[in-house]
Amino acid sequence: MALDFEKPVLELEQKIAELSKVEKTEDINIDSEVMQMRVKADKLLEQIYTKMTPQQKVQVARHPERPHCYDYIKALITDFTPLAGDRLFAQDDAMVSGIGRFEGQACVILGQEKGSDTETRIKHNFGMARPEGYRKAQRLMKMASQFKLPILTFVDTSGAYPGVGAEERGQSEAIAKSIESCLRAEVPFISTIIGEGGSGGAIAVATADRVLMLQHAIYSVISPEGCASILWRSGEFAGEAAKALKITARDLKELGIIDDIIAEPVGGAQRNHPAIFQNVRESLSKHLAELMQKDADTLKKERRQKYLQITR
Amino acid sequence: MNWLTNFIRPRINSIVGTSKDVPDNLWVKCTSCEGMLFHSEFKENNNVCSHCGHHMKWEAFDRLAAYFDDGKYKEIKVPKVTEDPLKFKDKKYYSARLKESRAKTGRQDAIIVASGKIGGQKVVIAAFDFFFMGGSMGAAVGEGLVTAAETAVKENAAFIAIPSSGGARMQEGMMSLMQMPRSIVAVEMVKDEGLPYIVILTDPTTGGVSASFAMVGDIHIAEPGAMIGFAGPRVIKETVREDLPEGFQTAEYLLEHGMVDMVVPRAEQKDTLARILSLLMEPKQTALKAIA
């Protein structure tokens, strides 16, 4: 799927494809022509991606071909063993959860999965968790402390599910208690915002020792569309809202809300999955190694202190 | 107010002086049953309609005076925070909105912190002011909650939070979202000391406020008819594309679904608080005395 602002690159790529099909004659050197255009296309892509507006980042962050939670688990976690259910009401497939190994270290893994086709999107409720998802997360976070397993979360959600049943069963309470569980965890806790960090639904599993964010991911208190319709009284101002809300990785690093930015390959994570998996792996290893040096009390104390100090 | 007082300019008015024997708002209209209420009686009745029992918005200071013993309490100053961290502007500058709200309410932000006694027990209250930007939670409100919790720990007092808020303050972007974990850290400090944390959920308690400190209380008391929920009814309706059940997201609905301990009308709130506080705090105090 192509994004509107990527058009110039796509046009070039189309031309390259056409040229490549042309039968070779001795008169013109098509190969060198194609090579030149290839270089030009790559340069253009890089230019476009370094100059992206916040609203364009929103589009990239939500790109359907970006790797999702399960893709990271498949690439980075061995022995992954999914665990289901909140032991109270239901299993929520929007919240992926289980235990597995990262670089040999046994961990608890949590994250929202958006799905990659119609069938899986419906199965995972488009990555919007219900109270059961957050209660399952709480259960696993407690278990993590019990067995001294570091917690890794992969955050990618437009938000917690706004439904009648979700409200009935205490969506607010489930999120609040999930944040509380994050703060009580007695093990290293790293959250990676891989795509969309949607408000309360995200922070519920992203109150962590280290919050890492992919270069083109977004993290926001409200969707730009929602903010525009409230403050500008029209969804048409989503671009202005995206800019004003400061939702990009660079802005949030400056504000001290995230701890590290993970670089994406040229043209975004959706263009090169192996490259982004490698970058995430390196960043996670580095931060986990640092956190593993600290004992339970220190981790808990510093995590609390970190959140107390934000905005102070 | 009549046409003459309307006509006289404020400056002249201030020179001449206006000794008003009759208040401007002699009558109040109930926002639920539309019945007319005599202002002084309405005030005396804690802003509750005497016709239908509807609980209307209640000024934070009036609430504090009603809860604390003999109406006496000490207001605790909330340290200043970085203002307008994003230099936010929508149709209007956020800084201008803040200025306006300050002029309107005479308050620095949407929270008041006070300490005193209820039923003889030491208490620190953090009360929201809905009239200040819809009680929305930004850094200043978060700081108020942290200050209240720290004071409670220092004074060995119970902590009572009284939200009345639409949720996070969008104009502070992610800084406002960070108040969710931040406010829960505040609550954790109080819980670590074995001190009670009580939440009085008033109209409205929604969004990031309900999904953080407001839902982790040892005891949840809700005001009759208060709207309490995570997502707004409009958003839910658009998502599920069906009509919402009767009384959806009201205090009574939450009681029925096990999310609050009780729904208590204003007239009984002080006594209820005093009773709960003595039940929760006395055993600890007597045990300590016995050891000493």
Side-chain angles (χ1 to χ4, degrees):
Chain A
M1 196 195 86
L3 301 169
D4 52 4
F5 62 90
E6 296 175 339
K7 242 182 202 151
V9 178
L10 292 168
E11 278 166 10
L12 251 177
E13 273 171 355
Q14 252 167 17
K15 269 186 205 157
I16 294 170
E18 277 164 28
L19 263 180
S20 313
K21 277 185 216 153
V22 175
E23 271 185 57
K24 280 175 194 164
T25 60
E26 281 166 23
D27 304 344
I28 24 169
N29 190 346
I30 291 175
D31 283 351
S32 82
E33 184 84 356
V34 167
M35 275 281 273
Q36 271 179 13
M37 283 174 85
R38 195 58 284 154
V39 171
K40 205 176 149 194
D42 287 350
K43 224 177 186 171
L44 196 60
L45 188 66
E46 196 176 345
Q47 272 174 5
I48 288 172
Y49 267 73
T50 41
K51 284 191 196 146
M52 262 194 293
T53 64
Q55 196 181 20
Q56 288 167 339
K57 288 224 177 199
V58 173
Q59 286 174 271
V60 174
R62 292 176 184 161
H63 198 292
E65 284 151 29
R66 254 178 110 77
H68 291 146
C69 184
Y70 265 132
D71 299 316
Y72 286 96
I73 290 176
K74 267 182 218 142
L76 306 176
I77 308 296
T78 55
D79 284 347
F80 183 66
T81 309
L83 300 173
D86 64 349
R87 301 292 189 270
L88 296 161
F89 184 76
Q91 152 65 357
D92 185 350
D93 284 314
M95 184 70 75
V96 174
S97 45
I99 43 179
R101 289 179 197 280
F102 173 70
E103 307 279 63
Q105 167 70 48
C107 293
V108 159
I109 319 290
L110 293 165
Q112 298 95 341
E113 170 62 43
K114 284 186 171 181
S116 46
D117 51 38
T118 309
E119 197 190 324
T120 52
R121 277 183 200 123
I122 291 168
K123 178 175 187 258
H124 297 292
N125 198 31
F126 301 86
M128 294 183 284
R130 297 183 167 90
E132 295 71 48
Y134 296 109
R135 294 195 176 114
K136 178 175 61 180
Q138 292 164 37
R139 177 169 82 86
L140 263 74
M141 287 189 238
K142 276 179 204 131
M143 204 171 84
S145 298
Q146 194 182 337
F147 296 104
K148 306 274 167 267
L149 310 172
I151 301 167
L152 304 179
T153 70
F154 297 97
V155 178
D156 192 13
T157 180
S158 56
Y161 185 64
V164 175
E167 292 289 325
E168 203 173 21
R169 301 191 299 277
Q171 187 70 290
S172 287
E173 193 267 357
I175 293 171
K177 283 279 168 65
S178 192
I179 299 173
E180 189 187 78
S181 299
C182 292
L183 289 165
R184 287 181 180 179
E186 292 174 355
V187 290
F189 195 141
I190 307 175
S191 289
T192 310
I193 317 290
I194 55 172
E196 209 177 349
S199 196
I203 192 77
V205 290
T207 304
D209 299 318
R210 300 284 159 86
V211 180
L212 318 177
M213 196 165 160
L214 265 57
Q215 193 184 349
H216 304 311
I218 56 158
Y219 193 4
S220 183
V221 66
I222 183 170
S223 73
E225 295 83 358
C227 179
S229 81
I230 296 169
L231 292 182
W232 279 265
R233 308 218 172 270
S234 158
E236 279 172 36
F237 291 88
E240 275 85 343
K243 197 166 161 237
L245 283 166
K246 300 258 196 303
I247 58 179
T248 67
R250 192 195 287 172
D251 283 332
L252 296 174
K253 177 85 177 32
E254 252 170 52
L255 288 168
I257 283 167
I258 61 158
D259 300 287
D260 215 347
I261 300 173
I262 301 176
E264 293 193 25
V266 174
Q270 69 276 13
R271 280 195 167 74
N272 190 344
H273 288 201
I276 193 64
F277 294 148
Q278 187 52 32
N279 292 358
V280 171
R281 182 192 295 277
E282 279 167 22
S283 185
L284 278 178
S285 314
K286 178 182 145 239
H287 287 285
L288 188 59
E290 283 171 23
L291 294 172
M292 293 295 274
Q293 305 295 318
K294 303 180 187 215
D295 62 47
D297 280 349
T298 312
L299 286 167
K300 235 169 87 176
K301 213 165 97 219
E302 287 183 358
R303 194 180 309 134
R304 279 188 185 191
Q305 208 52 37
K306 171 188 164 176
Y307 283 94
L308 271 187
Q309 285 311 316
I310 291 180
T311 70
R312 246 196 183 167
Chain B
M1 209 178 267
N2 61 30
W3 68 270
L4 189 64
T5 51
N6 260 337
F7 182 75
I8 298 169
R9 287 191 193 153
R11 263 187 73 189
I12 302 170
N13 223 350
S14 68
I15 296 161
V16 178
T18 50
S19 59
K20 273 194 246 162
D21 295 327
V22 187
D24 303 340
N25 35 2
L26 199 54
W27 294 91
V28 178
K29 195 167 160 187
C30 173
T31 49
S32 176
C33 73
E34 302 199 336
M36 296 305 282
L37 303 156
F38 198 54
H39 188 265
S40 58
E41 272 175 38
F42 174 68
K43 280 264 156 202
E44 218 164 276
N45 212 11
N46 304 328
N47 292 19
V48 176
C49 173
S50 49
H51 305 299
C52 70
H54 179 59
H55 284 53
M56 273 176 269
K57 297 266 175 341
W58 197 13
E59 265 285 316
F61 281 128
D62 290 340
R63 185 186 288 276
L64 294 180
Y67 286 169
F68 282 111
D69 294 347
D70 308 318
K72 278 194 295 196
Y73 60 89
K74 191 176 94 202
E75 196 177 336
I76 313 264
K77 228 181 138 204
V78 178
K80 281 207 170 153
V81 294
T82 318
E83 213 168 280
D84 192 10
L86 309 185
K87 304 274 167 272
F88 192 93
K89 183 184 175 246
D90 46 82
K91 282 179 152 177
K92 226 186 209 173
Y93 281 101
Y94 172 42
S95 54
R97 283 185 199 268
L98 275 176
K99 219 181 251 174
E100 248 171 56
S101 290
R102 281 177 190 153
K104 193 177 85 182
T105 61
R107 215 157 276 153
Q108 193 62 21
D109 213 294
I111 200 157
I112 300 156
V113 180
S115 86
K117 282 183 175 178
I118 295 178
Q121 298 290 343
K122 282 194 274 185
V123 170
V124 177
I125 296 184
F128 278 61
D129 177 10
F130 186 78
F131 301 103
F132 195 107
M133 293 189 75
S136 54
M137 177 163 73
V141 168
E143 194 61 32
L145 291 163
V146 172
T147 304
E150 284 171 343
T151 312
V153 169
K154 206 163 59 197
E155 295 182 356
N156 203 28
F159 177 25
I160 300 178
I162 311 174
S164 175
S165 168
R169 189 170 296 169
M170 274 176 289
Q171 292 90 342
E172 291 187 21
M174 281 297 289
M175 295 304 230
S176 68
L177 193 78
M178 289 300 119
Q179 305 311 315
M180 292 173 72
R182 218 166 158 242
S183 65
I184 293 182
V185 172
V187 172
E188 292 284 271
M189 297 193 284
V190 174
K191 287 184 178 172
D192 278 355
E193 297 301 316
L195 295 162
Y197 170 52
I198 300 170
V199 189
I200 302 174
L201 300 116
T202 75
D203 186 67
T205 299
T206 53
V209 165
S210 85
S212 63
F213 71 91
M215 275 291 160
V216 292
D218 295 311
I219 290 182
H220 293 168
I221 301 171
E223 260 188 10
M227 160 150 183
I228 306 159
F230 177 64
R234 196 172 52 89
V235 176
I236 297 170
K237 226 171 158 177
E238 276 167 16
T239 311
V240 299
R241 293 172 203 283
E242 56 188 74
D243 284 332
L244 302 177
E246 176 107 8
F248 184 58
Q249 295 184 319
T250 58
E252 294 74 14
Y253 178 90
L254 266 84
L255 180 68
E256 198 183 310
H257 289 92
M259 290 299 147
V260 298
D261 291 282
M262 57 191 96
V263 176
V264 182
R266 276 178 199 154
E268 297 164 26
Q269 282 172 3
K270 190 205 154 112
D271 290 346
T272 307
L273 279 175
R275 191 171 63 246
I276 290 171
L277 287 167
S278 76
L279 284 167
L280 294 182
M281 292 178 87
E282 263 167 25
K284 205 178 151 200
Q285 285 158 356
T286 25
L288 286 174
K289 263 179 216 154
I291 294 163

